[in-house]
Amino acid sequence: MSDAVRSGALAIITGAASGIGAALADEAKQAGMALLLSDIDEGKLKAKAAALGADYMVCNVAEPGDVERLANRAASIGVPIGAVFANAGVMKTAPLTKTSPEDWAFMISVNLTGMANMVRSFVPLMTEQETASRFIATSSVAGLVSAPLTGAYNATKHGVVAICETLFQELRKNAPHVGVSVICPGAVQTDILNLEKYGMGEAPSARSEALAKLMAEKGLSAQELAEKVFIELKKGKFWIFPQNYVFDRFEARYQAIINGYGAEWLSKSKADG
Ligand SMILES: NC(=O)c1ccc[n+]([C@@H]2O[C@H](COP(=O)([O-])OP(=O)(O)OC[C@H]3O[C@@H](n4cnc5c(N)ncnc54)[C@H](O)[C@@H]3O)[C@@H](O)[C@H]2O)c1
């Protein structure tokens, strides 16, 4: 049992203006937590914070100084930290041979450097306080298996899993009151494929069209996902898989590792994507 997502404690959420982050904010509010919401999209962030009566701060997770200021703000609120949701993330699809240096930098800076910044600024605060808290990263199914045409995204989300597994080991002995969880969703109905909001319009590719179809037809709503996440958080789970169709993919990869051959992507599985 974990009491990190307890009433009265503070939840900090990055990428909280939209999609999964916004839904996690709704769940945290329902759980009676105080909220510090952050995002790079100031307009949407303000609106979300106003709707929930939450504190907010614009923060680009890729910028160490921004994340440090967010941590300072969290510390100044005077409420013990319960949950830090390092959720902000971006995705652009392309075959690896066509993934530009700019696209690599875009995904690495937000998904991976952003995660490193969140750990460095928040975990010391959480370690210092005596009450329980939890660092919760949003990775993806793409953090464990590698679909074609999202190579850069896969690489960053594998990195997020590696950071969480390492952090868990590093905290176990010295700060057992700080838990770690990694959320690995499959398709969720959000705005993630809309790159125009980052000034990076993308001509629809076969992969982005397939993902859009998958999200629309089989994706969880962000709200459903957030509800499942909170159920698992209350159990103190490290691995959080809101959709269990992903297990056949993990099994196939594991078998491929043991056998020493490359795993073919399970394109005919129940949840194609
Ligand atoms: N939607 C899915 O199917 C899916 C599946 C698996 C994992 N995820 C992960 O879920 C997380 C949330 O994505 P989403 O689907 O809700 O997408 P979304 O685009 O709806 O929301 C992402 C939010 O992050 C914010 N953001 C982007 N860059 C930022 C930065 N540098 N600093 C701070 N905020 C920033 C955006 O403004 C946006 O509000 C991401 O980490 C994503 O990789 C999504």
Side-chain angles (χ1 to χ4, degrees):
M1 207 38 198
S2 160
D3 56 358
V5 289
R6 64 191 180 277
S7 178
L10 180 64
I12 298 105
I13 305 170
T14 68
S18 160
I20 293 172
L24 290 170
D26 293 338
E27 279 299 305
K29 173 84 180 176
Q30 274 219 340
M33 302 186 81
L35 298 175
L36 173 55
L37 308 184
S38 80
D39 203 286
I40 39 165
D41 185 330
E42 185 168 10
K44 282 172 85 176
L45 177 64
K46 266 186 177 170
K48 185 72 194 173
L52 294 181
D55 199 354
Y56 71 91
M57 187 173 172
V58 175
C59 163
N60 178 354
V61 294
E63 293 295 332
D66 273 22
V67 177
E68 194 57 21
R69 279 187 284 281
L70 183 67
N72 290 340
R73 170 72 77 85
S76 74
I77 290 176
V79 172
I81 293 174
V84 175
F85 289 93
N87 167 75
V90 293
M91 175 171 72
K92 204 169 170 197
T93 68
L96 278 166
T97 51
K98 298 257 169 13
T99 305
S100 67
E102 293 74 22
D103 289 349
W104 271 105
F106 174 57
M107 283 178 265
I108 289 174
S109 67
V110 181
N111 299 356
L112 213 41
T113 307
M115 194 59 62
N117 291 338
M118 288 296 289
V119 170
R120 194 176 45 249
S121 291
F122 278 93
V123 172
L125 282 181
M126 298 158 85
T127 304
E128 276 164 28
Q129 77 176 31
E130 284 166 14
T131 46
S133 64
R134 184 163 286 268
F135 187 91
I136 303 142
T138 308
S139 177
S140 168
V141 170
L144 288 152
V145 289
S146 301
L149 308 180
T150 49
Y153 182 73
N154 298 340
T156 61
K157 291 298 180 176
H158 273 66
V160 171
V161 167
I163 288 170
C164 291
E165 289 186 299
T166 309
L167 184 61
F168 175 78
Q169 300 301 332
E170 291 181 359
L171 292 173
R172 271 183 73 164
K173 281 196 188 126
N174 301 329
H177 59 298
V178 183
V180 182
S181 298
V182 59
I183 309 171
C184 299
V188 185
Q189 291 159 359
T190 71
D191 198 34
I192 193 165
L193 294 171
N194 166 15
L195 289 161
E196 282 180 11
K197 64 187 174 193
Y198 305 118
M200 301 185 79
E202 182 183 41
S205 65
R207 179 65 180 152
S208 63
E209 280 174 356
L211 280 172
K213 188 166 180 283
L214 175 70
M215 281 179 192
E217 291 175 1
K218 295 186 183 159
L220 286 178
S221 71
Q223 205 57 52
E224 285 171 307
L225 176 109
E227 281 166 20
K228 285 169 183 274
V229 166
F230 267 68
I231 289 168
E232 298 306 303
L233 287 176
K234 283 175 188 153
K235 295 179 196 161
K237 290 282 182 79
F238 174 85
W239 293 108
I240 300 185
F241 299 111
Q243 293 118 312
N244 54 17
Y245 68 68
V246 297
F247 292 126
D248 60 349
R249 296 237 161 108
F250 302 160
E251 183 74 34
R253 179 179 186 235
Y254 179 71
Q255 286 304 329
I257 292 170
I258 302 291
N259 297 331
Y261 296 101
E264 209 159 302
W265 179 245
L266 298 177
S267 59
K268 296 275 183 289
S269 94
K270 276 176 269 175
D272 193 9

